[in-house]
Amino acid sequence: MSLNAVRPWRNIYRRKSRQIHVGSVPVGGDAPISVQTMTNTDTSDVAATVAQIRAAADAGADIVRVSAPDQAATKALHRIVAESPVPIVADIHFHYKRAIEAAEAGAACLRINPGNIGDAARVKEVIRAARDHGCSIRIGVNAGSLERHLPEKYGEPCPEAMVESGLEHIRILQDNDFHEFKISVKASDVFLAAAAYQGLADATDAPIHLGITEAGGLTSGTIKSAIGMGNLLWMGIGDTIRVSLSADPVEEVKVGFEILKALGLRHRGVNIISCPSCARQGFDVICTVEKLEKRLEHIKTPMSLSIIGCVVNGPGEALMTDLGFTGGGAGSGMVYMAGKQSHKLSNDQMIEHIAELVEQRAEELERQAAAETAAEAEAAAAGQAAE
């Protein structure tokens, strides 16, 4: 029985939304919340851009956005799309023709900003290109680039203005019988973004792309994004997310998964539960966790590992994790497996031994998952044969 079944206070009830596709990735409906990032290379540099896309995909990115500011960029998209392991979203600003070129180049989705893409006629041309080439569209409303009449109407960027902008452009797409779209209403102000997203969630069933734009550097931006997006996700709002950091795109992906992991919405890799350390620690907790995080980056299978410096909380935390190590003094500690004491281990052997145990456990879980999948497929085939 899952923890959610016996502890209902853990449950998050996701907002019901329509499902669309960004290439092969479903967004909305009952699909897992997808994690996105964006390249920061010169798009016309195909090799550098593809290398960054692959690094992001290896970190878990489901979708990657690439800026298409000029013809050189949209020309490069042909090769980028062909070499990318994940669907590519073309980021379009100002030049609607770049959106058409991006669709022709094979982009899976076109991100357009209603405030600066042009009039309704130009948006219609983009819609036509998206339909002709099987693209979805993201309506990307941003507090800093609203259509001129909205700040004039409301006096300043506000949640009502952002939602109105989004709904106006939803109507344009729907009036043209185009429904493969998702929408975002981003702001760098956490309160403004949260209020706008709540209003949007009440006003449409379109899938929602979640983000706090221009959040800042790695530390400050992570905190800002976790507060803003974390609260919205807790409320059930959000079908795909992008953490916007002034940092390597891989870091955006890592933070995105950590936010989802903390809320129990999606799991990937090893979730290390560790103490902040104190004078009671039986080993250097901080150094150990840093080394284990790097050593275990290659593990994709969801699992949990507790690394606790002493016996105050160590045994209790180990009860709830797949593997655990608790410091016990005298240069050694106790290894826990599935919540039970397993064996003592010297501190100087700890990192490599624990890493090996994690790898073994990951292999076991992967075998179990493969066997369950095979059993389900066999049962389904048997059912079809019986019909």
Side-chain angles (χ1 to χ4, degrees):
M1 183 178 291
S2 70
L3 283 175
N4 289 0
V6 296
R7 298 172 185 167
W9 40 267
R10 294 176 57 96
N11 289 335
I12 291 177
Y13 300 97
R14 286 179 61 190
R15 159 185 168 271
K16 293 182 179 179
S17 62
R18 293 184 294 104
Q19 187 173 100
I20 68 164
H21 280 79
V22 176
S24 60
V25 177
V27 176
D30 59 356
I33 296 172
S34 53
V35 176
Q36 304 189 28
T37 186
M38 185 174 181
T39 58
N40 55 29
T41 54
D42 180 347
T43 304
S44 62
D45 186 340
V46 174
T49 302
V50 170
Q52 202 168 71
I53 291 169
R54 286 177 175 163
D58 188 57
D62 302 291
I63 300 166
V64 174
R65 181 156 43 113
V66 174
S67 183
D70 50 38
Q71 284 184 300
T74 53
K75 185 177 181 180
L77 272 179
H78 286 276
R79 288 177 57 194
I80 292 169
V81 168
E83 296 182 37
S84 173
V86 295
I88 295 297
V89 177
D91 191 68
I92 309 298
H93 286 277
F94 303 115
H95 303 291
Y96 75 102
K97 288 185 178 179
R98 302 293 85 82
I100 296 171
E101 293 162 1
E104 293 170 347
C109 180
L110 306 175
R111 188 271 189 181
I112 60 173
N113 187 321
N116 58 32
I117 195 67
D119 58 23
R122 290 183 173 182
V123 175
K124 287 180 181 179
E125 289 194 49
V126 174
I127 294 170
R128 186 180 304 113
R131 179 182 291 112
D132 291 346
H133 296 279
C135 297
S136 56
I137 287 177
R138 171 159 74 94
I139 300 170
V141 177
N142 193 299
S145 56
L146 291 169
E147 300 93 313
R148 291 180 182 177
H149 72 277
L150 291 171
E152 292 174 359
K153 175 180 177 180
Y154 291 98
E156 63 177 356
C158 63
E160 293 80 8
M162 294 170 69
V163 173
E164 184 172 327
S165 174
L167 295 180
E168 284 179 1
H169 285 80
I170 282 177
R171 281 193 290 273
I172 293 173
L173 267 60
Q174 291 179 331
D175 287 348
N176 285 272
D177 197 27
F178 190 90
H179 306 282
E180 280 287 302
F181 63 86
K182 52 194 171 94
I183 183 168
S184 62
V185 282
K186 294 186 179 183
S188 59
D189 182 285
V190 171
F191 294 95
L192 176 56
Y197 273 115
Q198 290 175 64
L200 182 70
D202 290 337
T204 178
D205 68 346
I208 286 179
H209 172 108
L210 210 57
I212 305 298
T213 194
E214 300 157 351
L218 181 56
T219 300
S220 60
T222 293
I223 293 169
K224 201 172 182 180
S225 297
I227 292 171
M229 289 197 291
N231 275 292
L232 288 164
L233 289 164
W234 202 328
M235 295 167 62
I237 298 171
D239 300 290
T240 183
I241 67 171
R242 188 260 172 123
V243 177
S244 298
L245 302 176
S246 299
D248 188 319
V250 167
E251 298 299 333
E252 295 188 347
V253 178
K254 290 180 179 178
V255 172
F257 271 104
E258 288 301 324
I259 291 173
L260 295 178
K261 193 186 296 183
L263 293 168
L265 289 167
R266 192 169 173 189
H267 299 280
R268 184 180 192 275
V270 183
N271 180 24
I272 298 181
I273 296 159
S274 60
C275 67
S277 79
C278 69
R280 293 191 304 268
Q281 65 180 350
F283 60 96
D284 189 335
V285 174
I286 294 173
C287 180
T288 298
V289 171
E290 288 177 353
K291 290 180 178 179
L292 281 171
E293 284 180 335
K294 292 179 181 178
R295 176 68 174 76
L296 298 173
E297 278 185 341
H298 66 291
I299 301 293
K300 315 302 181 190
T301 307
M303 58 185 303
S304 55
L305 168 66
S306 59
I307 302 294
I308 309 297
C310 75
V311 296
V312 173
N313 292 320
E317 292 291 352
L319 288 173
M320 298 179 284
T321 56
D322 292 291
L323 294 166
F325 181 81
T326 296
S332 65
M334 179 61 67
V335 174
Y336 292 79
M337 302 182 72
K340 297 179 180 180
Q341 288 188 6
S342 176
H343 54 277
K344 282 190 175 182
L345 179 67
S346 64
N347 292 346
D348 58 0
Q349 297 176 322
M350 177 199 330
I351 292 173
E352 193 57 34
H353 183 69
I354 290 174
E356 290 174 357
L357 291 176
V358 169
E359 290 169 341
Q360 292 170 12
R361 179 58 177 159
E363 290 177 1
E364 291 173 5
L365 292 171
E366 289 169 6
R367 284 196 297 270
Q368 290 174 12
E372 290 172 2
T373 300
E376 289 174 0
E378 186 176 342
Q384 291 176 352
E387 292 176 0

